[in-house]
Amino acid sequence: MTYRIDCLQYANWSEKIFRQMREGGVDAVHVTIAYHENFRETVLNIEAWNRWFEQFPDLIFQGRTGDDVRLARETGRTAIFFGFQNPSPIEDDIGLVEIVHTLGARFMQLSYNNQSLLATGCYEAEDPGLTRMGREVIEEMNRVGLVVDMSHSADRSTLEAIEHSTRPIAITHANPAQWAPARRNKSDAVIRALTESGGMIGFSLYPHHLKDKSACTLHSFCEMVARTAEKFGSSSLGIGSDLCQDHPDSVVDWMRMGRWTKRVDYGEGSAAAPGFPDMPDWFRDNRDFGNLETGLRTVGFDPEEVAGIMGENWLQFFDLSFGTVRKTQAHWAAE
Amino acid sequence: MTYRIDCLQYANWSEKIFRQMREGGVDAVHVTIAYHENFRETVLNIEAWNRWFEQFPDLIFQGRTGDDVRLARETGRTAIFFGFQNPSPIEDDIGLVEIVHTLGARFMQLSYNNQSLLATGCYEAEDPGLTRMGREVIEEMNRVGLVVDMSHSADRSTLEAIEHSTRPIAITHANPAQWAPARRNKSDAVIRALTESGGMIGFSLYPHHLKDKSACTLHSFCEMVARTAEKFGSSSLGIGSDLCQDHPDSVVDWMRMGRWTKRVDYGEGSAAAPGFPDMPDWFRDNRDFGNLETGLRTVGFDPEEVAGIMGENWLQFFDLSFGTVRKTQAHWAAE
């Protein structure tokens, strides 16, 4: 069986979901452990994960390197990699970049919809690009092996991050805007700059990022992947499902509004449909990764390309991205 | 040359001191990174160390396992192991035990002179023994591989910690009270319970713990080590110099008073001599470890015993103590 890696989920974690990961043959998941949390709050979220690791050692363990994905496969478990959707966990302190990496963080978005201390989010009217601190933090992230993720960032900031980063970056969960116009989906210019620099994009299954939303068909989704591969090659493509499972709607309020506003903000939703959207029936949860694999074969990918998109492309990216420059990457050490 | 490990220092760290560690052939140092700091403040102290590790990679690096002491020897550097003199960094949150261990903490005192949330300090009038949280935290420290250190704790709490801990504990820096009566030095009953349970004591060079204080002779110190070895064997003995180098006296105020009092507290000092005491002239700093080695030979220890006391006993203790129970110690995994 090919490796299966999901490069973004945010669930109301439970034994049920960890068992579904095993049923779906999912070797590794990048889990969001912070939306708007500050450092101390993020540490509390890590503590909660530590208790799950202690409680369910036969189902999950904390992933830190690409080899942990291989260990997960060998031992029949799922490796859990931590990530942040916002740089709020590092507050205004560049020293926290190394601290959170030591605690296991492997992806950090530079902005989440709004302006952050580092970069601009995709819902702002103006995007002045990377901030002074943003440039410093990207260099520190490059040094320690914390991946820059621009999923919720605006275009100029994203292009500047690709340019400024000396290591490939990621858009862990988004789709091409040409297929499904949405503020969160990405222009061809962004996807081109990303993939040409060795970066990765993870295709999202979150209905607001899909053509026809919850009614999107598996065929339409897989055709979109095929068209993207035609334009940009298949080696930079993966899955980042954005699966938000078993949460009450209060959680989507937290994701959208954090503590930055007192008003209701519907984000990608609307007053008529304010809650979490229904997932498409061919991707309800972790058990449905086989459907994606079948769908990709049907639209003409060969087995190697399917294996790449389902997990091996992310695995290769993990291998190159999570170590310090000095220790694991001879070609960077030359700098 | 034998391994040289110093199991307690707290200096005003600088390149000068790191170079003195190399001159003295010191392979590993347990450094205090918190006296009264809360979690966030302790993280700031780790960040400061991270900058030193980045700045002086040819002199020092962060130690996490016994093998890092061997790596230090092989590469001509000093491995730095983090420890706390007080449980203040874990606040009232048992989940922080694993977090600080992940960040590199390897020793934590359960109390520093005063009553803590966990145990009683050696300056309190009453010692009611381990608290409810103290017992819970010891079990968690045992699980993750964070060593219980009772250097500044009161006797009953210390004896109960030895009893309650399923892994050997340490008194990283103190001397026998029989040689130099001082509130911080330890009774034979405590040293016996400690060493019989596989624990370690590190002999202190801090003048308040020495017979005749700053005027103590090398011979008197080494005779004391010899008498201790006669009583309790030499395999549980090591060095924990308590070297507090290059600090202004404001720092000894912080050590003694933290934020718990508004009055002056002289601790082991006095109104007449409130500051740091002068070190004995045969142990001014890290360059003088050779004097200790020579002195121990002179009082009749054989070369193997000297090697044990200078570092190999601590190294063996590090090997057994810093890993999780499950991963590194087959004999604990049976529990």
Side-chain angles (χ1 to χ4, degrees), chain B residues 18-315:
Chain B
F18 302 143
R19 291 199 180 280
Q20 289 176 347
M21 287 176 180
R22 299 314 315 139
E23 280 185 61
V26 182
D27 301 294
V29 178
H30 160 210
V31 303
T32 290
I33 64 165
Y35 272 97
H36 306 281
E37 286 88 340
N38 67 15
F39 176 67
R40 184 67 182 89
E41 292 165 334
T42 301
V43 168
L44 286 170
N45 293 344
I46 296 174
E47 293 176 29
W49 271 106
N50 282 341
R51 288 194 287 272
W52 286 315
F53 294 139
E54 198 182 348
Q55 212 175 344
F56 306 111
D58 299 332
L59 299 174
I60 55 168
F61 67 98
Q62 185 171 0
R64 293 172 176 274
T65 66
D67 280 342
D68 284 333
V69 181
R70 299 179 182 92
L71 179 66
R73 168 58 59 96
E74 285 159 21
T75 57
R77 295 180 294 166
T78 301
I80 302 294
F81 292 83
F82 295 157
F84 311 146
Q85 300 242 2
N86 200 322
S88 56
I90 67 160
E91 300 174 355
D92 63 351
D93 179 358
I94 198 169
L96 286 176
V97 172
E98 184 165 4
I99 297 290
V100 298
H101 183 268
T102 301
L103 291 173
R106 291 296 178 266
F107 293 90
M108 181 170 82
Q109 290 191 46
L110 299 196
S111 53
Y112 183 83
N113 298 350
N114 288 7
Q115 180 67 43
S116 77
L117 296 181
L118 312 181
T120 307
C122 60
Y123 277 74
E124 293 285 0
E126 298 290 334
D127 176 7
L130 294 179
T131 66
R132 299 173 77 204
M133 185 178 174
R135 291 169 182 273
E136 301 289 325
V137 166
I138 287 174
E139 288 168 33
E140 182 70 352
M141 292 172 77
N142 286 166
R143 184 180 73 84
V144 303
L146 180 59
V147 176
V148 173
D149 182 357
M150 298 302 276
S151 297
H152 284 256
S153 297
D155 280 11
R156 180 177 164 192
S157 288
T158 302
L159 292 168
E160 289 186 12
I162 291 165
E163 178 69 25
H164 193 69
S165 179
T166 55
R167 300 175 81 167
I169 79 161
I171 290 173
T172 58
H173 56 303
N175 294 324
Q178 231 181 28
W179 175 63
R183 224 186 281 227
R184 272 275 284 105
N185 283 338
K186 301 304 175 187
S187 69
D188 278 9
V190 164
I191 300 173
R192 179 167 294 110
L194 176 77
T195 56
E196 282 182 354
S197 61
M200 283 283 299
I201 182 166
F203 293 111
S204 167
L205 282 307
Y206 191 64
H208 290 308
H209 309 154
L210 300 176
K211 190 174 179 177
D212 305 324
K213 302 209 167 189
S214 303
C216 180
T217 64
L218 176 59
H219 184 74
S220 175
F221 179 81
C222 292
E223 276 290 340
M224 173 275 291
V225 177
R227 296 298 78 77
T228 312
E230 279 169 13
K231 282 187 196 167
F232 308 108
S234 73
S235 64
S236 297
L237 312 182
I239 303 295
S241 73
D242 208 1
L243 181 66
C244 294
Q245 194 181 346
D246 292 349
H247 279 300
D249 285 341
S250 58
V251 169
V252 80
D253 291 344
W254 164 248
M255 289 158 60
R256 291 168 180 164
M257 294 182 279
R259 287 174 286 234
W260 66 271
T261 179
K262 300 190 291 181
R263 292 176 206 276
V264 177
D265 182 278
Y266 293 112
E268 298 175 289
S270 62
F276 280 113
D278 290 333
M279 293 300 285
D281 57 12
W282 44 271
F283 192 85
R284 298 155 304 157
D285 57 47
N286 282 281
R287 291 170 297 181
D288 287 335
F289 275 84
N291 291 341
L292 296 185
E293 203 167 315
T294 306
L296 291 174
R297 281 204 203 96
T298 309
V299 296
F301 283 111
D302 67 35
E304 261 185 47
E305 289 170 317
V306 172
I309 296 165
M310 292 303 296
E312 280 176 21
N313 295 340
W314 275 126
L315 179 51

Side-chain angles (χ1 to χ4, degrees), chain A residues 273-285:
Chain A
F276 280 112
D278 291 333
M279 294 298 285
D281 56 12
W282 43 271
F283 192 84
R284 297 154 306 157
D285 57 46

Side-chain angles (χ1 to χ4, degrees), chain A residues 231-284:
Chain A
K231 281 188 195 165
F232 308 109
S234 74
S235 65
S236 297
L237 312 183
I239 303 296
S241 72
D242 207 1
L243 180 66
C244 295
Q245 194 181 346
D246 290 349
H247 279 300
D249 285 342
S250 59
V251 169
V252 80
D253 291 344
W254 164 249
M255 290 157 61
R256 290 168 180 163
M257 295 182 278
R259 287 176 287 234
W260 68 270
T261 179
K262 300 191 290 181
R263 290 177 210 277
V264 177
D265 182 278
Y266 294 111
E268 298 175 288
S270 62
F276 280 112
D278 291 333
M279 294 298 285
D281 56 12
W282 43 271
F283 192 84
R284 297 154 306 157

